[in-house]
Amino acid sequence: PDLCVHVPPGTNLAGISRFYEQILGASTLSLTHSALVLQASPSQTLSFRHKAGASPHADMEVLENGPANNGVHVSMYIADLKSAYAKAEALGVTFVNHRFSRQAYTLEEAVEQCMFRVIDVVDPDDPSKTPILQLEHEVRSTVKADGKNKYKSCPFDEVPALALDPASVYSP
């Protein structure tokens, strides 16, 4: 299946591609002036297509305990949660949505909860790190914190070998 996200014409699709490849480990299948298709998982693609009148994907508000997005969010399973978190944190794009009880402020919390969130998609090669778009991602691990067992909601038939690598498991 494919999840298609419409973005305004002129959106930096090459920058979005670099974000998904360098931060979340996706592969670019095709990139044109008006469309980007990423391999987001073994059986799913994520597409970005220019469309006039595309509406924002984030609906932000400030709650008593912090920011919240009431807009859409996508869940994405990855093999190397620890590395993805470190890269997202280095870019300054980790996000805690205060609408949800599971909140990862640190690498330790992300590994314990088998997830973290990002909302700003930025071009890693752009020194300004200005968001290209806001689309909340719940980035989930394919395995539990022990690194040995498939995470309960992981939809894959097989867990990528990298996820089962003991070196990728967080240990304080």
Side-chain angles (χ1 to χ4, degrees):
D2 180 63
L3 174 62
C4 182
V5 178
H6 292 128
V7 294
T11 297
N12 180 359
L13 297 175
I16 293 172
S17 173
R18 285 188 287 274
F19 177 84
Y20 279 90
E21 286 186 339
Q22 294 177 27
I23 308 308
L24 300 177
S27 300
T28 298
L29 298 177
S30 68
L31 174 60
T32 67
H33 71 282
S34 62
L36 164 65
V37 180
L38 300 160
Q39 186 74 50
S41 76
S43 60
Q44 188 173 40
T45 55
L46 177 60
S47 298
F48 292 87
R49 299 191 189 286
H50 287 168
K51 183 177 181 182
S55 49
H57 304 289
D59 179 13
M60 301 299 292
E61 73 171 313
V62 178
L63 300 177
E64 187 176 299
N65 56 348
N69 173 37
N70 295 306
V72 299
H73 79 269
V74 297
S75 294
M76 187 173 178
Y77 287 85
I78 60 172
D80 190 354
L81 185 84
K82 182 175 149 182
S83 175
Y85 183 91
K87 292 172 185 178
E89 184 178 46
L91 275 179
V93 297
T94 57
F95 172 71
V96 173
N97 190 338
H98 289 87
R99 272 182 53 213
F100 300 104
S101 59
R102 292 174 58 205
Q103 299 177 358
Y105 289 92
T106 65
L107 173 61
E108 295 84 358
E109 291 171 342
V111 170
E112 175 188 314
Q113 295 178 35
C114 301
M115 60 75 65
F116 70 95
R117 295 177 186 276
V118 298
I119 194 165
D120 291 333
V121 175
V122 303
D123 183 346
D125 293 349
D126 177 3
S128 75
K129 305 299 181 251
T130 302
I132 299 168
L133 75 132
Q134 284 191 312
L135 176 64
E136 185 174 350
H137 297 68
E138 182 176 356
V139 182
R140 296 179 176 181
S141 177
T142 56
V143 294
K144 294 179 181 179
D146 66 8
K148 298 176 186 171
N149 298 297
K150 185 168 103 168
Y151 186 69
K152 62 185 174 191
S153 63
C154 178
F156 304 157
D157 291 331
E158 294 183 27
V159 174
L162 173 63
L164 299 173
D165 179 1
S168 71
V169 176
Y170 176 77
S171 56

PDB file of all heavy atoms in Angstrom, residues 79-83 107 111 141 143-147 160-171:
ATOM      1  N   ALA A  79      14.117  -0.293  11.757  1.00  0.00           N
ATOM      2  CA  ALA A  79      14.976  -1.316  12.341  1.00  0.00           C
ATOM      3  C   ALA A  79      15.923  -0.747  13.397  1.00  0.00           C
ATOM      4  O   ALA A  79      16.231  -1.418  14.372  1.00  0.00           O
ATOM      5  CB  ALA A  79      15.777  -2.014  11.250  1.00  0.00           C
ATOM      6  N   ASP A  80      16.388   0.477  13.224  1.00  0.00           N
ATOM      7  CA  ASP A  80      17.406   1.028  14.119  1.00  0.00           C
ATOM      8  C   ASP A  80      16.886   2.292  14.802  1.00  0.00           C
ATOM      9  O   ASP A  80      17.213   3.412  14.419  1.00  0.00           O
ATOM     10  CB  ASP A  80      18.681   1.318  13.333  1.00  0.00           C
ATOM     11  CG  ASP A  80      19.866   1.657  14.229  1.00  0.00           C
ATOM     12  OD1 ASP A  80      19.693   1.786  15.461  1.00  0.00           O
ATOM     13  OD2 ASP A  80      20.972   1.810  13.690  1.00  0.00           O
ATOM     14  N   LEU A  81      16.064   2.100  15.812  1.00  0.00           N
ATOM     15  CA  LEU A  81      15.452   3.206  16.538  1.00  0.00           C
ATOM     16  C   LEU A  81      16.504   4.101  17.192  1.00  0.00           C
ATOM     17  O   LEU A  81      16.416   5.321  17.138  1.00  0.00           O
ATOM     18  CB  LEU A  81      14.482   2.680  17.593  1.00  0.00           C
ATOM     19  CG  LEU A  81      13.698   3.756  18.338  1.00  0.00           C
ATOM     20  CD1 LEU A  81      12.477   4.144  17.524  1.00  0.00           C
ATOM     21  CD2 LEU A  81      13.305   3.289  19.711  1.00  0.00           C
ATOM     22  N   LYS A  82      17.505   3.485  17.773  1.00  0.00           N
ATOM     23  CA  LYS A  82      18.545   4.223  18.496  1.00  0.00           C
ATOM     24  C   LYS A  82      19.268   5.217  17.574  1.00  0.00           C
ATOM     25  O   LYS A  82      19.418   6.390  17.904  1.00  0.00           O
ATOM     26  CB  LYS A  82      19.534   3.217  19.091  1.00  0.00           C
ATOM     27  CG  LYS A  82      20.651   3.812  19.905  1.00  0.00           C
ATOM     28  CD  LYS A  82      21.458   2.662  20.519  1.00  0.00           C
ATOM     29  CE  LYS A  82      22.885   3.012  20.691  1.00  0.00           C
ATOM     30  NZ  LYS A  82      23.676   1.918  21.218  1.00  0.00           N
ATOM     31  N   SER A  83      19.674   4.763  16.412  1.00  0.00           N
ATOM     32  CA  SER A  83      20.372   5.617  15.462  1.00  0.00           C
ATOM     33  C   SER A  83      19.450   6.714  14.924  1.00  0.00           C
ATOM     34  O   SER A  83      19.847   7.873  14.811  1.00  0.00           O
ATOM     35  CB  SER A  83      20.917   4.777  14.314  1.00  0.00           C
ATOM     36  OG  SER A  83      21.490   5.598  13.328  1.00  0.00           O
ATOM     37  N   LEU A 107      16.794   9.513  24.613  1.00  0.00           N
ATOM     38  CA  LEU A 107      17.049   8.239  23.945  1.00  0.00           C
ATOM     39  C   LEU A 107      16.600   7.077  24.827  1.00  0.00           C
ATOM     40  O   LEU A 107      15.969   6.138  24.358  1.00  0.00           O
ATOM     41  CB  LEU A 107      18.538   8.105  23.607  1.00  0.00           C
ATOM     42  CG  LEU A 107      18.977   6.754  23.045  1.00  0.00           C
ATOM     43  CD1 LEU A 107      18.257   6.445  21.736  1.00  0.00           C
ATOM     44  CD2 LEU A 107      20.484   6.726  22.856  1.00  0.00           C
ATOM     45  N   VAL A 111      13.849   4.257  23.673  1.00  0.00           N
ATOM     46  CA  VAL A 111      14.126   2.822  23.619  1.00  0.00           C
ATOM     47  C   VAL A 111      13.166   2.068  24.534  1.00  0.00           C
ATOM     48  O   VAL A 111      12.611   1.033  24.150  1.00  0.00           O
ATOM     49  CB  VAL A 111      15.599   2.538  23.994  1.00  0.00           C
ATOM     50  CG1 VAL A 111      15.844   1.047  24.175  1.00  0.00           C
ATOM     51  CG2 VAL A 111      16.521   3.108  22.939  1.00  0.00           C
ATOM     52  N   SER A 141       9.901   1.217  16.864  1.00  0.00           N
ATOM     53  CA  SER A 141      10.886   0.152  16.694  1.00  0.00           C
ATOM     54  C   SER A 141      10.196  -1.125  16.246  1.00  0.00           C
ATOM     55  O   SER A 141       9.061  -1.403  16.644  1.00  0.00           O
ATOM     56  CB  SER A 141      11.601  -0.102  18.018  1.00  0.00           C
ATOM     57  OG  SER A 141      12.516  -1.171  17.886  1.00  0.00           O
ATOM     58  N   VAL A 143      11.361  -3.950  17.135  1.00  0.00           N
ATOM     59  CA  VAL A 143      11.589  -4.893  18.235  1.00  0.00           C
ATOM     60  C   VAL A 143      11.385  -4.209  19.583  1.00  0.00           C
ATOM     61  O   VAL A 143      11.441  -2.989  19.693  1.00  0.00           O
ATOM     62  CB  VAL A 143      13.014  -5.503  18.190  1.00  0.00           C
ATOM     63  CG1 VAL A 143      13.187  -6.383  16.964  1.00  0.00           C
ATOM     64  CG2 VAL A 143      14.077  -4.436  18.247  1.00  0.00           C
ATOM     65  N   LYS A 144      11.188  -5.033  20.600  1.00  0.00           N
ATOM     66  CA  LYS A 144      11.056  -4.538  21.970  1.00  0.00           C
ATOM     67  C   LYS A 144      12.411  -4.005  22.445  1.00  0.00           C
ATOM     68  O   LYS A 144      13.436  -4.217  21.803  1.00  0.00           O
ATOM     69  CB  LYS A 144      10.610  -5.668  22.900  1.00  0.00           C
ATOM     70  CG  LYS A 144       9.214  -6.169  22.606  1.00  0.00           C
ATOM     71  CD  LYS A 144       8.857  -7.294  23.561  1.00  0.00           C
ATOM     72  CE  LYS A 144       7.477  -7.827  23.282  1.00  0.00           C
ATOM     73  NZ  LYS A 144       7.134  -8.927  24.183  1.00  0.00           N
ATOM     74  N   ALA A 145      12.406  -3.355  23.590  1.00  0.00           N
ATOM     75  CA  ALA A 145      13.628  -2.755  24.133  1.00  0.00           C
ATOM     76  C   ALA A 145      14.737  -3.787  24.337  1.00  0.00           C
ATOM     77  O   ALA A 145      15.915  -3.443  24.294  1.00  0.00           O
ATOM     78  CB  ALA A 145      13.328  -2.035  25.447  1.00  0.00           C
ATOM     79  N   ASP A 146      14.383  -5.061  24.539  1.00  0.00           N
ATOM     80  CA  ASP A 146      15.410  -6.094  24.724  1.00  0.00           C
ATOM     81  C   ASP A 146      16.148  -6.423  23.433  1.00  0.00           C
ATOM     82  O   ASP A 146      17.183  -7.083  23.444  1.00  0.00           O
ATOM     83  CB  ASP A 146      14.806  -7.367  25.322  1.00  0.00           C
ATOM     84  CG  ASP A 146      13.814  -8.075  24.400  1.00  0.00           C
ATOM     85  OD1 ASP A 146      13.670  -7.701  23.219  1.00  0.00           O
ATOM     86  OD2 ASP A 146      13.164  -9.022  24.886  1.00  0.00           O
ATOM     87  N   GLY A 147      15.610  -5.971  22.292  1.00  0.00           N
ATOM     88  CA  GLY A 147      16.255  -6.208  21.007  1.00  0.00           C
ATOM     89  C   GLY A 147      16.128  -7.631  20.500  1.00  0.00           C
ATOM     90  O   GLY A 147      16.705  -7.972  19.473  1.00  0.00           O
ATOM     91  N   PRO A 160      13.727  -7.025  10.422  1.00  0.00           N
ATOM     92  CA  PRO A 160      15.029  -6.834   9.779  1.00  0.00           C
ATOM     93  C   PRO A 160      16.179  -7.260  10.688  1.00  0.00           C
ATOM     94  O   PRO A 160      16.138  -7.035  11.900  1.00  0.00           O
ATOM     95  CB  PRO A 160      15.066  -5.332   9.509  1.00  0.00           C
ATOM     96  CG  PRO A 160      13.635  -4.905   9.499  1.00  0.00           C
ATOM     97  CD  PRO A 160      12.945  -5.810  10.478  1.00  0.00           C
ATOM     98  N   ALA A 161      17.197  -7.884  10.111  1.00  0.00           N
ATOM     99  CA  ALA A 161      18.336  -8.388  10.883  1.00  0.00           C
ATOM    100  C   ALA A 161      18.985  -7.296  11.725  1.00  0.00           C
ATOM    101  O   ALA A 161      19.392  -7.541  12.854  1.00  0.00           O
ATOM    102  CB  ALA A 161      19.361  -9.022   9.945  1.00  0.00           C
ATOM    103  N   LEU A 162      19.052  -6.070  11.197  1.00  0.00           N
ATOM    104  CA  LEU A 162      19.664  -4.972  11.945  1.00  0.00           C
ATOM    105  C   LEU A 162      18.965  -4.771  13.285  1.00  0.00           C
ATOM    106  O   LEU A 162      19.594  -4.483  14.294  1.00  0.00           O
ATOM    107  CB  LEU A 162      19.606  -3.671  11.136  1.00  0.00           C
ATOM    108  CG  LEU A 162      20.061  -2.402  11.863  1.00  0.00           C
ATOM    109  CD1 LEU A 162      21.536  -2.513  12.243  1.00  0.00           C
ATOM    110  CD2 LEU A 162      19.830  -1.183  11.014  1.00  0.00           C
ATOM    111  N   ALA A 163      17.646  -4.943  13.316  1.00  0.00           N
ATOM    112  CA  ALA A 163      16.893  -4.735  14.554  1.00  0.00           C
ATOM    113  C   ALA A 163      17.262  -5.764  15.614  1.00  0.00           C
ATOM    114  O   ALA A 163      17.135  -5.500  16.805  1.00  0.00           O
ATOM    115  CB  ALA A 163      15.396  -4.791  14.270  1.00  0.00           C
ATOM    116  N   LEU A 164      17.713  -6.928  15.197  1.00  0.00           N
ATOM    117  CA  LEU A 164      18.066  -7.982  16.142  1.00  0.00           C
ATOM    118  C   LEU A 164      19.542  -7.969  16.510  1.00  0.00           C
ATOM    119  O   LEU A 164      20.011  -8.817  17.254  1.00  0.00           O
ATOM    120  CB  LEU A 164      17.682  -9.341  15.565  1.00  0.00           C
ATOM    121  CG  LEU A 164      16.183  -9.510  15.282  1.00  0.00           C
ATOM    122  CD1 LEU A 164      15.929 -10.827  14.555  1.00  0.00           C
ATOM    123  CD2 LEU A 164      15.382  -9.435  16.554  1.00  0.00           C
ATOM    124  N   ASP A 165      20.284  -6.991  16.013  1.00  0.00           N
ATOM    125  CA  ASP A 165      21.724  -6.854  16.300  1.00  0.00           C
ATOM    126  C   ASP A 165      21.890  -6.357  17.738  1.00  0.00           C
ATOM    127  O   ASP A 165      21.434  -5.261  18.055  1.00  0.00           O
ATOM    128  CB  ASP A 165      22.340  -5.878  15.307  1.00  0.00           C
ATOM    129  CG  ASP A 165      23.824  -5.655  15.549  1.00  0.00           C
ATOM    130  OD1 ASP A 165      24.393  -6.279  16.483  1.00  0.00           O
ATOM    131  OD2 ASP A 165      24.415  -4.849  14.807  1.00  0.00           O
ATOM    132  N   PRO A 166      22.534  -7.128  18.611  1.00  0.00           N
ATOM    133  CA  PRO A 166      22.711  -6.699  19.995  1.00  0.00           C
ATOM    134  C   PRO A 166      23.401  -5.338  20.113  1.00  0.00           C
ATOM    135  O   PRO A 166      23.159  -4.592  21.066  1.00  0.00           O
ATOM    136  CB  PRO A 166      23.583  -7.791  20.624  1.00  0.00           C
ATOM    137  CG  PRO A 166      23.418  -8.969  19.726  1.00  0.00           C
ATOM    138  CD  PRO A 166      23.117  -8.424  18.357  1.00  0.00           C
ATOM    139  N   ALA A 167      24.231  -4.957  19.143  1.00  0.00           N
ATOM    140  CA  ALA A 167      24.922  -3.687  19.214  1.00  0.00           C
ATOM    141  C   ALA A 167      23.955  -2.512  19.028  1.00  0.00           C
ATOM    142  O   ALA A 167      24.250  -1.390  19.433  1.00  0.00           O
ATOM    143  CB  ALA A 167      26.014  -3.611  18.138  1.00  0.00           C
ATOM    144  N   SER A 168      22.789  -2.762  18.443  1.00  0.00           N
ATOM    145  CA  SER A 168      21.838  -1.673  18.230  1.00  0.00           C
ATOM    146  C   SER A 168      20.919  -1.464  19.422  1.00  0.00           C
ATOM    147  O   SER A 168      20.152  -0.531  19.468  1.00  0.00           O
ATOM    148  CB  SER A 168      21.004  -1.917  16.967  1.00  0.00           C
ATOM    149  OG  SER A 168      20.099  -2.978  17.174  1.00  0.00           O
ATOM    150  N   VAL A 169      20.989  -2.348  20.418  1.00  0.00           N
ATOM    151  CA  VAL A 169      20.144  -2.229  21.599  1.00  0.00           C
ATOM    152  C   VAL A 169      20.770  -1.248  22.562  1.00  0.00           C
ATOM    153  O   VAL A 169      21.973  -1.296  22.825  1.00  0.00           O
ATOM    154  CB  VAL A 169      19.953  -3.618  22.269  1.00  0.00           C
ATOM    155  CG1 VAL A 169      19.151  -3.490  23.543  1.00  0.00           C
ATOM    156  CG2 VAL A 169      19.304  -4.580  21.302  1.00  0.00           C
ATOM    157  N   TYR A 170      19.976  -0.363  23.116  1.00  0.00           N
ATOM    158  CA  TYR A 170      20.479   0.629  24.052  1.00  0.00           C
ATOM    159  C   TYR A 170      20.813  -0.019  25.377  1.00  0.00           C
ATOM    160  O   TYR A 170      20.033  -0.801  25.923  1.00  0.00           O
ATOM    161  CB  TYR A 170      19.453   1.732  24.290  1.00  0.00           C
ATOM    162  CG  TYR A 170      19.909   2.713  25.336  1.00  0.00           C
ATOM    163  CD1 TYR A 170      20.857   3.671  25.025  1.00  0.00           C
ATOM    164  CD2 TYR A 170      19.440   2.650  26.626  1.00  0.00           C
ATOM    165  CE1 TYR A 170      21.318   4.548  25.964  1.00  0.00           C
ATOM    166  CE2 TYR A 170      19.893   3.531  27.584  1.00  0.00           C
ATOM    167  CZ  TYR A 170      20.824   4.477  27.249  1.00  0.00           C
ATOM    168  OH  TYR A 170      21.287   5.357  28.204  1.00  0.00           O
ATOM    169  N   SER A 171      21.982   0.280  25.887  1.00  0.00           N
ATOM    170  CA  SER A 171      22.315  -0.134  27.242  1.00  0.00           C
ATOM    171  C   SER A 171      23.033   1.024  27.909  1.00  0.00           C
ATOM    172  O   SER A 171      24.001   1.542  27.370  1.00  0.00           O
ATOM    173  CB  SER A 171      23.184  -1.395  27.234  1.00  0.00           C
ATOM    174  OG  SER A 171      24.349  -1.186  26.466  1.00  0.00           O
TER     175      SER A 171
END
